[in-house]
Amino acid sequence: MLMSTSDSIAGREISQTLGVVTANAVRARHVGRDVLAGLKTLVGGEIGAYRDLMTESRDQAIERLRTEAEAMGADALVSVRMTTSSIMQGASEVLIYGTAVRLR
């Protein structure tokens, strides 16, 4: 599945637009990560546990998007966008969306 943040796929022609596809992943922090993150805030620097949590969420959302597009019969996704938000204290969402298309 080709994916692009632009409105096209270089060297390919879009023959059909199938529609908007969305997917998300919601993850919550846990006590172990919070304790380690709290200690890290004392000395500064990147909080690897949270970075890993968001990376896992992003990868899961991308895989779900790909699965949804394939179910529609798409060859590619264009205009792919991603956003994050806080759902509640301690939980975040990664939302990804794009336009499913067929290519020539």
Side-chain angles (χ1 to χ4, degrees), residues 9-27:
I9 301 290
R12 303 290 298 269
E13 182 182 343
I14 294 174
S15 64
Q16 184 179 8
T17 300
L18 302 174
V20 174
V21 183
T22 62
N24 66 345
V26 177
R27 297 280 176 107

Side-chain angles (χ1 to χ4, degrees), residues 25-29 54 57 84-88 90-94:
V26 177
R27 297 280 176 107
R29 302 180 317 209
M54 293 307 292
S57 296
T84 62
S85 63
S86 178
I87 299 295
M88 57 183 262
S92 294
E93 174 192 40
V94 173

Side-chain angles (χ1 to χ4, degrees), residues 31-89:
V31 175
R33 284 185 176 163
D34 284 349
V35 169
L36 293 173
L39 294 172
K40 188 67 172 184
T41 61
L42 295 175
V43 296
E46 184 176 33
I47 302 173
Y50 290 158
R51 178 202 59 229
D52 295 346
L53 181 69
M54 293 307 292
T55 297
E56 291 166 11
S57 296
R58 184 192 66 231
D59 292 346
Q60 185 177 46
I62 289 171
E63 186 54 39
R64 288 177 177 168
L65 185 75
R66 187 175 283 129
T67 299
E68 290 294 318
E70 287 173 352
M72 294 173 73
D75 300 317
L77 286 154
V78 295
S79 301
V80 174
R81 304 290 185 264
M82 190 178 309
T83 186
T84 62
S85 63
S86 178
I87 299 295
M88 57 183 262
Q89 185 175 352

